[in-house]
Amino acid sequence: MPTYDPTAEQKFTFGLWTVGNTGRDPFGGPVRDQLSPVEIVRLLGEVGAYGVNYHDNDLYPIDATPAEVDQILRDFKQALRDTGLKVPMATTNLFTDPIFKDGAFTSNDARVRAYALQKVIRSMDIGVDLGAALYVLWGGREGTETDASKNPQDSLKRMRDALNFLCEYIIEQGYDLRLALEAKPNEPRSDIYLPTTGAMLGFINTLDHPEMVGVNPEVAHEHMAGLNFAHAVAQAWDAGKLFHIDLNDQLFGRYDQDFRFGSVMIKQNFFLVKFLEDVGYSGSRHYDAHAYRTEDYEGVKDFARGCMRTYMILREKARQFNQDAEIQALLQEIHADDGAHSYLNGGYSSDAVSRLRNETFDRVGISQRGLPYERLDQLTMELLLGVR
Ligand code: GLT
Ligand code: MN
Ligand code: MN
Protein backbone atom coordinates (compact mmCIF):
# COMPACT_ATOMS: atom_id res chain seq x y z
CA MET A 1 0.00 0.00 0.00
CA PRO A 2 1.65 3.31 -1.03
CA THR A 3 2.04 5.87 1.74
CA TYR A 4 1.52 8.89 -0.56
CA ASP A 5 4.20 10.72 1.42
CA PRO A 6 6.00 13.50 -0.47
CA THR A 7 9.29 12.44 -2.06
CA ALA A 8 12.32 14.61 -2.84
CA GLU A 9 12.14 13.36 -6.43
CA GLN A 10 8.87 15.26 -6.96
CA LYS A 11 10.48 18.51 -5.75
CA PHE A 12 7.40 19.87 -3.98
CA THR A 13 7.87 23.55 -3.22
CA PHE A 14 5.73 26.30 -1.71
CA GLY A 15 6.09 30.07 -1.86
CA LEU A 16 6.58 32.04 1.36
CA TRP A 17 3.40 33.87 0.30
CA THR A 18 1.37 30.65 0.08
CA VAL A 19 1.55 28.96 3.48
CA GLY A 20 2.28 32.45 4.85
CA ASN A 21 -1.03 33.78 3.48
CA THR A 22 -2.94 35.47 6.30
CA GLY A 23 -6.35 35.19 4.70
CA ARG A 24 -6.70 38.86 3.79
CA ASP A 25 -9.08 39.38 0.87
CA PRO A 26 -10.75 42.43 -0.74
CA PHE A 27 -13.61 42.17 1.79
CA GLY A 28 -11.82 41.38 5.02
CA GLY A 29 -8.62 41.60 6.97
CA PRO A 30 -6.22 38.90 8.08
CA VAL A 31 -7.50 35.89 10.03
CA ARG A 32 -4.07 34.41 10.77
CA ASP A 33 -0.93 36.02 12.22
CA GLN A 34 1.82 36.89 9.79
CA LEU A 35 4.57 34.28 10.21
CA SER A 36 8.21 35.30 9.73
CA PRO A 37 10.13 33.70 6.83
CA VAL A 38 11.99 31.55 9.38
CA GLU A 39 8.69 30.31 10.88
CA ILE A 40 7.38 29.53 7.41
CA VAL A 41 10.50 27.54 6.55
CA ARG A 42 10.05 25.55 9.77
CA LEU A 43 6.40 24.87 8.92
CA LEU A 44 7.39 23.65 5.45
CA GLY A 45 10.10 21.46 6.94
CA GLU A 46 7.53 19.95 9.28
CA VAL A 47 5.12 19.00 6.46
CA GLY A 48 7.89 17.49 4.31
CA ALA A 49 8.27 20.00 1.48
CA TYR A 50 11.40 19.97 -0.68
CA GLY A 51 11.82 23.70 -1.07
CA VAL A 52 10.64 27.23 -0.53
CA ASN A 53 10.31 30.02 -3.10
CA TYR A 54 9.82 33.69 -2.42
CA HIS A 55 9.28 37.23 -3.71
CA ASP A 56 11.96 39.71 -2.62
CA ASN A 57 9.47 41.43 -0.31
CA ASP A 58 8.14 38.22 1.23
CA LEU A 59 11.64 37.95 2.66
CA TYR A 60 12.61 41.58 3.40
CA PRO A 61 10.54 44.78 3.37
CA ILE A 62 10.71 46.99 0.29
CA ASP A 63 12.41 49.74 2.31
CA ALA A 64 14.81 47.52 4.30
CA THR A 65 18.36 48.83 4.69
CA PRO A 66 21.24 46.65 3.39
CA ALA A 67 22.11 45.80 7.00
CA GLU A 68 18.53 44.69 7.69
CA VAL A 69 18.50 42.58 4.54
CA ASP A 70 21.78 40.94 5.61
CA GLN A 71 20.38 40.01 9.01
CA ILE A 72 17.18 38.60 7.50
CA LEU A 73 19.19 36.55 5.01
CA ARG A 74 21.43 35.18 7.74
CA ASP A 75 18.41 33.99 9.72
CA PHE A 76 16.73 32.59 6.59
CA LYS A 77 19.84 30.66 5.56
CA GLN A 78 20.14 29.23 9.06
CA ALA A 79 16.53 28.00 8.86
CA LEU A 80 17.28 26.46 5.45
CA ARG A 81 20.29 24.63 6.89
CA ASP A 82 18.26 23.44 9.89
CA THR A 83 15.46 22.03 7.74
CA GLY A 84 17.35 21.02 4.59
CA LEU A 85 14.93 23.01 2.44
CA LYS A 86 16.16 24.30 -0.94
CA VAL A 87 15.35 27.59 -2.70
CA PRO A 88 14.89 26.53 -6.34
CA MET A 89 13.05 29.67 -7.48
CA ALA A 90 12.95 33.35 -6.67
CA THR A 91 10.80 36.17 -8.00
CA THR A 92 10.20 39.89 -7.59
CA ASN A 93 7.14 41.63 -6.26
CA LEU A 94 6.30 44.08 -9.05
CA PHE A 95 2.66 44.52 -8.07
CA THR A 96 2.02 45.46 -4.41
CA ASP A 97 3.67 48.83 -4.02
CA PRO A 98 1.66 51.82 -5.32
CA ILE A 99 4.52 52.72 -7.67
CA PHE A 100 3.41 49.75 -9.80
CA LYS A 101 -0.23 50.86 -10.09
CA ASP A 102 0.17 51.23 -13.88
CA GLY A 103 2.54 48.32 -14.38
CA ALA A 104 6.26 47.75 -13.96
CA PHE A 105 8.03 46.96 -17.25
CA THR A 106 5.06 48.36 -19.21
CA SER A 107 4.33 51.41 -17.08
CA ASN A 108 3.92 54.65 -19.00
CA ASP A 109 6.41 56.26 -16.62
CA ALA A 110 10.06 55.66 -17.60
CA ARG A 111 11.11 56.09 -13.94
CA VAL A 112 8.86 53.21 -12.92
CA ARG A 113 10.22 51.00 -15.70
CA ALA A 114 13.77 51.76 -14.55
CA TYR A 115 12.91 51.16 -10.88
CA ALA A 116 11.34 47.80 -11.80
CA LEU A 117 14.52 46.70 -13.58
CA GLN A 118 16.64 47.79 -10.63
CA LYS A 119 14.37 45.91 -8.21
CA VAL A 120 14.60 42.71 -10.28
CA ILE A 121 18.37 42.90 -10.64
CA ARG A 122 18.89 43.38 -6.90
CA SER A 123 16.52 40.56 -6.14
CA MET A 124 18.20 38.27 -8.69
CA ASP A 125 21.58 38.77 -7.00
CA ILE A 126 20.08 37.59 -3.71
CA GLY A 127 18.15 34.75 -5.37
CA VAL A 128 21.29 33.38 -6.98
CA ASP A 129 23.10 33.64 -3.65
CA LEU A 130 20.33 31.53 -2.08
CA GLY A 131 20.76 28.89 -4.78
CA ALA A 132 17.88 29.68 -7.12
CA ALA A 133 18.40 28.55 -10.72
CA LEU A 134 15.03 29.80 -11.87
CA TYR A 135 13.51 33.26 -11.81
CA VAL A 136 9.76 33.68 -12.27
CA LEU A 137 8.25 36.84 -13.69
CA TRP A 138 4.54 37.32 -13.13
CA GLY A 139 3.39 40.66 -14.47
CA GLY A 140 0.28 41.14 -12.40
CA ARG A 141 0.09 44.88 -13.08
CA GLU A 142 1.27 44.71 -16.69
CA GLY A 143 -2.02 45.61 -18.29
CA THR A 144 -4.78 48.18 -18.53
CA GLU A 145 -8.25 49.16 -17.45
CA THR A 146 -8.55 51.39 -20.52
CA ASP A 147 -6.71 50.87 -23.77
CA ALA A 148 -6.83 54.65 -24.23
CA SER A 149 -3.83 54.74 -21.88
CA LYS A 150 -1.36 52.56 -23.80
CA ASN A 151 -0.84 51.12 -27.23
CA PRO A 152 -0.71 47.32 -26.70
CA GLN A 153 2.11 46.90 -29.20
CA ASP A 154 4.20 49.53 -27.38
CA SER A 155 3.62 47.57 -24.19
CA LEU A 156 4.91 44.40 -25.80
CA LYS A 157 8.01 46.27 -26.96
CA ARG A 158 8.60 47.58 -23.43
CA MET A 159 8.17 44.09 -22.04
CA ARG A 160 10.62 42.72 -24.62
CA ASP A 161 13.19 45.44 -23.88
CA ALA A 162 13.01 44.64 -20.16
CA LEU A 163 13.43 40.89 -20.67
CA ASN A 164 16.29 41.36 -23.13
CA PHE A 165 17.99 43.65 -20.60
CA LEU A 166 17.59 41.06 -17.83
CA CYS A 167 18.92 38.22 -19.99
CA GLU A 168 22.02 40.27 -20.86
CA TYR A 169 22.50 41.02 -17.17
CA ILE A 170 22.35 37.30 -16.32
CA ILE A 171 24.84 36.49 -19.06
CA GLU A 172 27.23 39.25 -18.00
CA GLN A 173 27.10 38.12 -14.36
CA GLY A 174 27.68 34.52 -15.42
CA TYR A 175 24.60 33.41 -13.47
CA ASP A 176 23.16 29.95 -13.95
CA LEU A 177 19.65 31.34 -14.07
CA ARG A 178 16.71 30.88 -16.43
CA LEU A 179 13.53 32.95 -16.56
CA ALA A 180 9.97 31.61 -16.48
CA LEU A 181 7.11 33.87 -17.55
CA GLU A 182 3.75 33.37 -15.86
CA ALA A 183 0.53 34.29 -17.66
CA LYS A 184 -2.76 35.36 -16.15
CA PRO A 185 -5.72 36.79 -18.07
CA ASN A 186 -6.89 39.44 -15.61
CA GLU A 187 -6.90 40.34 -11.88
CA PRO A 188 -5.59 42.63 -10.55
CA ARG A 189 -5.66 44.54 -13.90
CA SER A 190 -8.79 44.44 -16.00
CA ASP A 191 -6.72 42.93 -18.81
CA ILE A 192 -3.19 41.65 -18.36
CA TYR A 193 -0.90 41.49 -21.40
CA LEU A 194 0.08 38.06 -22.73
CA PRO A 195 -2.91 36.48 -20.95
CA THR A 196 -2.27 32.79 -21.53
CA THR A 197 0.64 30.35 -21.58
CA GLY A 198 0.18 30.05 -25.34
CA ALA A 199 0.56 33.82 -25.73
CA MET A 200 3.73 33.73 -23.62
CA LEU A 201 5.18 30.94 -25.76
CA GLY A 202 4.64 33.00 -28.90
CA PHE A 203 6.21 36.07 -27.29
CA ILE A 204 9.32 34.23 -26.06
CA ASN A 205 10.37 33.57 -29.65
CA THR A 206 10.61 37.33 -30.25
CA LEU A 207 13.27 37.78 -27.53
CA ASP A 208 17.02 38.10 -28.08
CA HIS A 209 17.75 35.02 -25.95
CA PRO A 210 14.69 32.77 -26.23
CA GLU A 211 16.71 29.80 -24.97
CA MET A 212 16.97 31.45 -21.54
CA VAL A 213 13.23 32.00 -21.17
CA GLY A 214 10.43 29.52 -20.57
CA VAL A 215 7.02 29.52 -18.90
CA ASN A 216 5.49 28.95 -15.49
CA PRO A 217 1.89 27.92 -16.22
CA GLU A 218 -0.60 28.06 -13.32
CA VAL A 219 -3.70 25.85 -13.12
CA ALA A 220 -5.96 28.61 -11.80
CA HIS A 221 -4.86 31.14 -14.39
CA GLU A 222 -5.68 28.96 -17.39
CA HIS A 223 -8.92 27.90 -15.70
CA MET A 224 -9.87 31.57 -15.30
CA ALA A 225 -9.63 31.78 -19.10
CA GLY A 226 -11.73 28.62 -19.48
CA LEU A 227 -8.81 26.69 -20.98
CA ASN A 228 -7.60 23.11 -20.66
CA PHE A 229 -4.55 23.39 -18.41
CA ALA A 230 -3.00 20.05 -19.38
CA HIS A 231 -3.09 21.10 -23.04
CA ALA A 232 -1.23 24.33 -22.23
CA VAL A 233 1.33 22.36 -20.22
CA ALA A 234 1.77 19.87 -23.07
CA GLN A 235 2.41 22.70 -25.52
CA ALA A 236 4.99 24.22 -23.19
CA TRP A 237 6.67 20.83 -22.70
CA ASP A 238 6.68 20.16 -26.45
CA ALA A 239 8.41 23.51 -26.99
CA GLY A 240 11.03 22.67 -24.34
CA LYS A 241 9.69 25.57 -22.28
CA LEU A 242 8.15 23.98 -19.19
CA PHE A 243 10.68 25.46 -16.76
CA HIS A 244 8.35 25.54 -13.73
CA ILE A 245 4.70 24.89 -12.84
CA ASP A 246 2.25 26.51 -10.39
CA LEU A 247 -0.14 23.88 -9.06
CA ASN A 248 -3.44 24.77 -7.41
CA ASP A 249 -7.08 24.37 -8.38
CA GLN A 250 -10.42 26.01 -9.09
CA LEU A 251 -13.43 25.91 -11.37
CA PHE A 252 -13.64 27.90 -14.59
CA GLY A 253 -14.89 31.47 -14.76
CA ARG A 254 -13.99 32.61 -11.25
CA TYR A 255 -11.44 34.93 -9.72
CA ASP A 256 -7.99 33.54 -8.89
CA GLN A 257 -8.95 31.22 -6.04
CA ASP A 258 -5.62 29.38 -5.60
CA PHE A 259 -7.24 26.41 -3.85
CA ARG A 260 -5.43 23.32 -2.58
CA PHE A 261 -4.14 21.25 -5.50
CA GLY A 262 -6.65 18.64 -6.65
CA SER A 263 -9.46 19.96 -4.47
CA VAL A 264 -11.84 20.81 -7.31
CA MET A 265 -11.19 19.29 -10.74
CA ILE A 266 -10.10 15.72 -10.05
CA LYS A 267 -10.17 14.40 -13.60
CA GLN A 268 -8.33 17.39 -15.11
CA ASN A 269 -5.68 17.17 -12.42
CA PHE A 270 -5.32 13.44 -12.97
CA PHE A 271 -4.49 13.97 -16.64
CA LEU A 272 -2.12 16.77 -15.68
CA VAL A 273 -0.22 14.59 -13.21
CA LYS A 274 -0.24 11.69 -15.65
CA PHE A 275 1.28 13.93 -18.31
CA LEU A 276 4.00 15.30 -16.02
CA GLU A 277 4.90 11.83 -14.76
CA ASP A 278 4.72 10.12 -18.18
CA VAL A 279 7.05 12.64 -19.84
CA GLY A 280 9.40 12.71 -16.84
CA TYR A 281 9.11 16.39 -15.93
CA SER A 282 11.93 16.98 -13.46
CA GLY A 283 11.42 20.61 -12.42
CA SER A 284 9.83 21.85 -9.21
CA ARG A 285 6.21 21.05 -8.55
CA HIS A 286 5.39 24.34 -6.96
CA TYR A 287 2.18 24.99 -5.04
CA ASP A 288 0.97 28.52 -5.64
CA ALA A 289 -2.07 28.11 -3.44
CA HIS A 290 -3.28 28.97 0.02
CA ALA A 291 -5.49 27.55 2.73
CA TYR A 292 -9.15 28.49 3.08
CA ARG A 293 -9.73 31.66 5.06
CA THR A 294 -11.43 29.53 7.71
CA GLU A 295 -8.14 27.88 8.77
CA ASP A 296 -5.70 28.43 11.62
CA TYR A 297 -2.07 27.28 11.24
CA GLU A 298 -2.96 23.65 11.91
CA GLY A 299 -5.33 23.98 8.96
CA VAL A 300 -2.54 25.53 6.87
CA LYS A 301 -0.47 22.40 7.51
CA ASP A 302 -3.46 20.25 6.50
CA PHE A 303 -3.66 22.33 3.33
CA ALA A 304 0.04 21.92 2.49
CA ARG A 305 0.07 18.20 3.25
CA GLY A 306 -3.11 17.80 1.17
CA CYS A 307 -1.53 19.48 -1.89
CA MET A 308 1.36 17.00 -1.90
CA ARG A 309 -0.66 13.96 -0.88
CA THR A 310 -3.21 14.46 -3.65
CA TYR A 311 -0.39 14.77 -6.19
CA MET A 312 1.09 11.48 -4.95
CA ILE A 313 -2.33 9.80 -5.07
CA LEU A 314 -2.92 10.96 -8.64
CA ARG A 315 0.58 9.79 -9.53
CA GLU A 316 -0.29 6.33 -8.23
CA LYS A 317 -3.57 6.45 -10.18
CA ALA A 318 -1.59 7.30 -13.33
CA ARG A 319 0.61 4.26 -12.71
CA GLN A 320 -2.51 2.10 -12.32
CA PHE A 321 -3.97 3.55 -15.53
CA ASN A 322 -0.79 2.66 -17.41
CA GLN A 323 -0.93 -0.90 -16.07
CA ASP A 324 -4.66 -1.56 -16.27
CA ALA A 325 -5.06 -4.40 -18.79
CA GLU A 326 -8.56 -3.43 -19.88
CA ILE A 327 -7.70 0.25 -20.31
CA GLN A 328 -4.51 -0.56 -22.19
CA ALA A 329 -6.35 -3.02 -24.47
CA LEU A 330 -8.86 -0.32 -25.31
CA LEU A 331 -6.09 2.14 -26.03
CA GLN A 332 -4.41 -0.40 -28.28
CA GLU A 333 -7.64 -0.89 -30.17
CA ILE A 334 -8.14 2.88 -30.50
CA HIS A 335 -4.61 3.46 -31.75
CA ALA A 336 -4.54 0.39 -34.01
CA ASP A 337 -2.61 1.03 -37.20
CA ASP A 338 -1.92 -1.56 -39.93
CA GLY A 339 1.05 0.50 -41.13
CA ALA A 340 -0.46 1.09 -44.59
CA HIS A 341 0.19 4.83 -44.28
CA SER A 342 3.54 4.73 -42.57
CA TYR A 343 4.99 6.18 -45.80
CA LEU A 344 3.65 9.54 -44.49
CA ASN A 345 5.52 9.32 -41.18
CA GLY A 346 8.85 10.34 -42.65
CA GLY A 347 7.55 13.76 -43.65
CA TYR A 348 7.17 15.18 -47.11
CA SER A 349 8.58 13.58 -50.24
CA SER A 350 7.48 13.63 -53.89
CA ASP A 351 7.16 9.85 -53.69
CA ALA A 352 4.82 10.17 -50.72
CA VAL A 353 2.72 12.73 -52.57
CA SER A 354 2.29 10.55 -55.64
CA ARG A 355 1.29 7.57 -53.51
CA LEU A 356 -1.15 9.79 -51.62
CA ARG A 357 -2.68 11.15 -54.83
CA ASN A 358 -3.42 7.63 -56.03
CA GLU A 359 -5.04 6.34 -52.88
CA THR A 360 -8.79 5.75 -52.60
CA PHE A 361 -10.30 6.10 -49.16
CA ASP A 362 -13.42 4.29 -47.98
CA ARG A 363 -14.79 7.47 -46.40
CA VAL A 364 -18.09 5.93 -45.33
CA GLY A 365 -16.54 2.74 -44.01
CA ILE A 366 -13.91 4.61 -41.99
CA SER A 367 -16.55 6.91 -40.50
CA GLN A 368 -18.65 3.95 -39.40
CA ARG A 369 -15.99 2.69 -37.00
CA GLY A 370 -17.15 3.30 -33.43
CA LEU A 371 -14.58 4.68 -31.00
CA PRO A 372 -14.98 3.27 -27.48
CA TYR A 373 -14.23 6.50 -25.66
CA GLU A 374 -17.33 6.18 -23.46
CA ARG A 375 -16.04 2.87 -22.11
CA LEU A 376 -12.53 4.26 -21.78
CA ASP A 377 -13.68 7.31 -19.89
CA GLN A 378 -15.94 5.27 -17.62
CA LEU A 379 -13.03 2.99 -16.74
CA THR A 380 -10.92 6.08 -16.03
CA MET A 381 -13.64 7.46 -13.76
CA GLU A 382 -14.00 4.15 -11.93
CA LEU A 383 -10.27 4.02 -11.41
CA LEU A 384 -10.31 7.57 -10.03
CA LEU A 385 -13.33 6.87 -7.83
CA GLY A 386 -11.56 3.89 -6.33
CA VAL A 387 -13.75 1.01 -7.51
CA ARG A 388 -11.09 -0.51 -9.83
C1 GLT B 1 0.89 36.03 -6.86
C2 GLT B 1 0.28 35.50 -8.10
C3 GLT B 1 0.90 34.22 -8.50
C4 GLT B 1 2.33 34.33 -8.91
C5 GLT B 1 3.19 34.78 -7.82
C6 GLT B 1 4.57 35.03 -8.36
S1 GLT B 1 2.57 36.08 -6.92
O1 GLT B 1 0.52 35.26 -5.76
O2 GLT B 1 -1.12 35.35 -7.90
O3 GLT B 1 0.19 33.55 -9.48
O4 GLT B 1 2.79 33.06 -9.27
O5 GLT B 1 4.81 36.37 -8.57
MN1 MN C 1 -3.22 32.18 -8.88
MN1 MN D 1 1.24 31.66 -9.76
Side-chain angles (χ1 to χ4, degrees):
M1 180 71 183
T3 62
Y4 307 121
D5 289 338
T7 63
E9 195 195 340
Q10 260 59 42
K11 299 198 183 105
F12 291 130
T13 61
F14 290 81
L16 283 181
W17 70 95
T18 65
V19 282
N21 179 289
T22 59
R24 180 184 286 117
D25 71 15
F27 304 95
V31 295
R32 294 183 283 268
D33 293 340
Q34 182 68 66
L35 299 184
S36 70
V38 166
E39 288 170 319
I40 297 172
V41 169
R42 290 212 189 99
L43 186 154
L44 288 175
E46 195 183 324
V47 299
Y50 167 86
V52 58
N53 303 320
Y54 71 97
H55 297 89
D56 50 354
N57 305 138
D58 301 335
L59 200 49
Y60 46 88
I62 193 164
D63 50 5
T65 64
E68 285 164 349
V69 173
D70 279 354
Q71 184 57 51
I72 291 168
L73 286 174
R74 265 198 297 276
D75 295 344
F76 189 60
K77 285 179 181 172
Q78 185 59 50
L80 294 172
R81 278 192 295 272
D82 292 347
T83 54
L85 256 71
K86 308 266 183 296
V87 181
M89 177 274 260
T91 183
T92 319
N93 185 323
L94 296 174
F95 43 89
T96 300
D97 194 85
I99 194 172
F100 299 124
K101 65 188 177 190
D102 190 31
F105 300 152
T106 63
S107 164
N108 273 334
D109 188 328
R111 294 169 304 175
V112 176
R113 300 201 296 275
Y115 174 68
L117 277 180
Q118 185 201 58
K119 195 169 191 287
V120 175
I121 282 169
R122 285 188 174 161
S123 156
M124 268 183 184
D125 295 344
I126 292 174
V128 168
D129 177 54
L130 287 168
L134 194 92
Y135 208 85
V136 163
L137 289 158
W138 173 65
R141 300 276 176 198
E142 312 288 15
T144 56
E145 282 69 46
T146 168
D147 283 339
S149 63
K150 289 172 194 164
N151 173 321
Q153 191 187 4
D154 290 345
S155 297
L156 290 178
K157 287 181 178 159
R158 287 172 176 168
M159 187 83 87
R160 182 178 306 120
D161 287 347
L163 290 168
N164 286 340
F165 190 96
L166 293 173
C167 285
E168 294 296 346
Y169 177 73
I170 292 168
I171 292 169
E172 201 174 83
Q173 296 299 309
Y175 287 162
D176 173 20
L177 191 65
R178 299 192 298 172
L179 306 180
L181 309 183
E182 179 175 343
K184 186 176 179 182
N186 58 272
E187 194 199 10
R189 297 311 292 268
S190 178
D191 289 287
I192 299 180
Y193 296 123
L194 299 164
T196 62
T197 297
M200 286 296 183
L201 287 169
F203 176 69
I204 288 170
N205 284 325
T206 71
L207 299 174
D208 288 348
H209 293 284
E211 72 287 353
M212 295 173 67
V213 186
V215 290
N216 176 37
E218 173 172 320
V219 180
H221 297 180
E222 303 291 319
H223 282 190
M224 286 171 74
L227 299 174
N228 182 314
F229 184 66
H231 291 192
V233 166
Q235 191 189 352
W237 175 263
D238 181 63
K241 293 294 184 195
L242 189 65
F243 288 5
H244 201 256
I245 191 164
D246 275 6
L247 299 173
N248 56 25
D249 207 2
Q250 70 175 68
L251 290 175
F252 287 167
R254 306 201 175 185
Y255 67 97
D256 189 24
Q257 293 180 297
D258 295 336
F259 283 151
R260 188 179 77 256
F261 177 67
S263 59
V264 185
M265 290 189 159
I266 297 171
K267 194 166 150 189
Q268 286 83 349
N269 288 310
F270 165 70
F271 284 114
L272 170 67
V273 171
K274 182 173 172 336
F275 182 84
L276 294 175
E277 296 296 319
D278 284 352
V279 298
Y281 169 75
S282 63
S284 293
R285 286 156 176 83
H286 172 72
Y287 294 105
D288 186 7
H290 50 75
Y292 302 146
R293 193 164 183 267
T294 46
E295 305 306 296
D296 59 13
Y297 275 105
E298 281 313 305
V300 171
K301 290 181 206 165
D302 291 338
F303 148 83
R305 290 193 177 103
C307 282
M308 297 185 283
R309 186 172 161 82
T310 299
Y311 187 98
M312 296 304 282
I313 294 170
L314 292 175
R315 178 173 178 265
E316 170 61 17
K317 293 285 179 191
R319 197 191 60 77
Q320 283 174 21
F321 182 100
N322 290 340
Q323 292 189 348
D324 187 298
E326 204 176 338
I327 290 177
Q328 292 308 314
L330 274 178
L331 284 171
Q332 242 181 9
E333 181 190 331
I334 288 161
H335 296 159
D337 182 352
D338 63 7
H341 297 96
S342 55
Y343 68 90
L344 289 172
N345 295 348
Y348 184 85
S349 72
S350 29
D351 181 48
V353 165
S354 32
R355 281 182 72 174
L356 186 60
R357 275 192 200 286
N358 293 324
E359 280 215 55
T360 350
F361 289 96
D362 174 12
R363 210 183 69 252
V364 175
I366 293 171
S367 315
Q368 277 167 354
R369 175 186 171 210
L371 297 166
Y373 296 172
E374 285 287 0
R375 178 96 193 110
L376 179 64
D377 189 71
Q378 181 65 25
L379 292 176
T380 306
M381 290 307 293
E382 292 190 9
L383 190 146
L384 290 177
L385 294 172
V387 298
R388 269 187 92 66

